[in-house]
Amino acid sequence: MNLILFGPPAAGKGTQAKRLTAERGFVQLSTGDMLRAARKSGSELGTKVAAIMDSGSLVSDEIVIALIEEALANNKGAPGFIFDGFPRTVAQAEALDAMLAKHGKQIDRVIRLEVDSQQLMARIAKRFAEEGRADDNPEAYKVRLDAYFAQTAPLVPYYEKSGKLKGVDGMADVETVAAAIAKAL
Ligand code: AMP
C-alpha cells in the first residue's frame, strides 16, 4: 500500500508516518527530511536550497521530484511508501503518479490530517521553542502556511476526484489520530 499523509506543516504528518513505518514496515519518504539531510551534509543541493527553506517558501518541483525518483529506485522491495510533505503542488502530484506507474505502483490512499490554524500556530510556537528550526519562526511559518493554502491545498480536489482522499481529525492526541488513520486505511 502506498499512501500520502497530507496536511499543513505541523499537522502531525511526520509523527504519524514514523508510527506507520514502525508498525507496518512502510518506507517513509519525507522530502523535508531529505532536504535537511542535504543541508547537513553540506552538499551542493543543500547549499542551493538553504535560503529558500529558511524563508518558508517551496523549493522547485524539479528538485523534490528528483529526490523522490531516486528514493523510489533505491527502495524497490518496500512493502509500501508513506509520502510525507510530498507532493505539495499539482505538478508534483502528476509526476508522482507517473513515477509510481513506471514501477507498476499507484497511490492507494491519501490521508488528510485536519487541524485548525489556531492549533497549528500553537504547535509551531512550541516546536520552535523546543527545537529552534529556522523555518518554524513565526514569520517563516506564515510563509509556509500561505504556500500550503496557495500551492498545496489545490491537491484536495485532485485526490478527491480519484476517491482516494480520507479526512482524519488531526486535533486529537497522537494515539487517537493513529487509530483514525488505521481505520481509514
Ligand atoms: P517540511 O519539513 O516538509 O515542512 O519541509 C520543510 C521545507 O522544505 C519546506 O518549507 C520547503 O521549503 C521544503 N520542501 C519540503 N518538501 C517540499 C516539496 N514537496 N516541495 C517543495 N518544497 C519542499
Side-chain angles (χ1 to χ4, degrees):
M1 162 165 315
N2 301 305
L3 65 123
I4 296 171
L5 284 179
F6 186 85
K13 303 187 295 292
T15 303
Q16 294 298 334
K18 283 187 179 64
R19 283 185 69 113
L20 286 164
T21 300
E23 285 165 9
R24 303 186 186 220
F26 293 163
V27 172
Q28 176 191 6
L29 297 183
S30 157
T31 40
D33 286 351
M34 292 175 201
L35 292 167
R36 279 185 288 277
R39 289 180 65 172
K40 217 170 164 189
S41 76
S43 69
E44 198 181 316
L45 170 68
T47 313
K48 194 171 157 185
V49 297
I52 303 171
M53 287 177 76
D54 287 349
S55 75
S57 301
L58 296 185
V59 308
S60 74
D61 288 336
E62 198 190 355
I63 287 175
V64 287
I65 289 167
L67 287 173
I68 291 291
E69 191 157 36
E70 193 185 342
L72 290 176
N74 289 340
N75 288 282
K76 281 205 169 114
F81 292 103
I82 305 168
F83 296 92
D84 159 14
F86 181 93
R88 261 175 155 101
T89 64
V90 172
Q92 291 177 24
E94 288 169 352
L96 179 60
D97 284 343
M99 288 187 282
L100 287 173
K102 242 187 4 197
H103 291 271
K105 299 178 196 293
Q106 61 165 11
I107 291 297
D108 301 295
R109 263 280 173 271
V110 182
I111 304 288
R112 179 186 189 192
L113 293 176
E114 292 154 355
V115 181
D116 69 34
S117 295
Q118 209 182 342
Q119 165 121 208
L120 290 173
M121 300 302 279
R123 285 184 186 183
I124 221 69
K126 186 166 175 273
R127 194 165 79 179
F128 187 51
E130 285 169 3
E131 298 173 25
R133 237 176 85 173
D135 61 349
D136 281 345
N137 80 66
E139 208 176 299
Y141 187 68
K142 185 176 180 312
V143 177
R144 290 164 72 200
L145 256 193
D146 288 349
Y148 172 77
F149 288 116
Q151 292 165 274
T152 308
L155 288 178
V156 170
Y158 181 90
Y159 287 116
E160 248 167 5
K161 252 186 278 168
S162 58
K164 290 174 181 169
L165 188 78
K166 292 241 175 184
V168 163
D169 176 9
M171 304 278 286
D173 60 85
V174 173
E175 297 298 324
T176 308
V177 176
I181 291 175
K183 206 171 154 205
L185 294 179

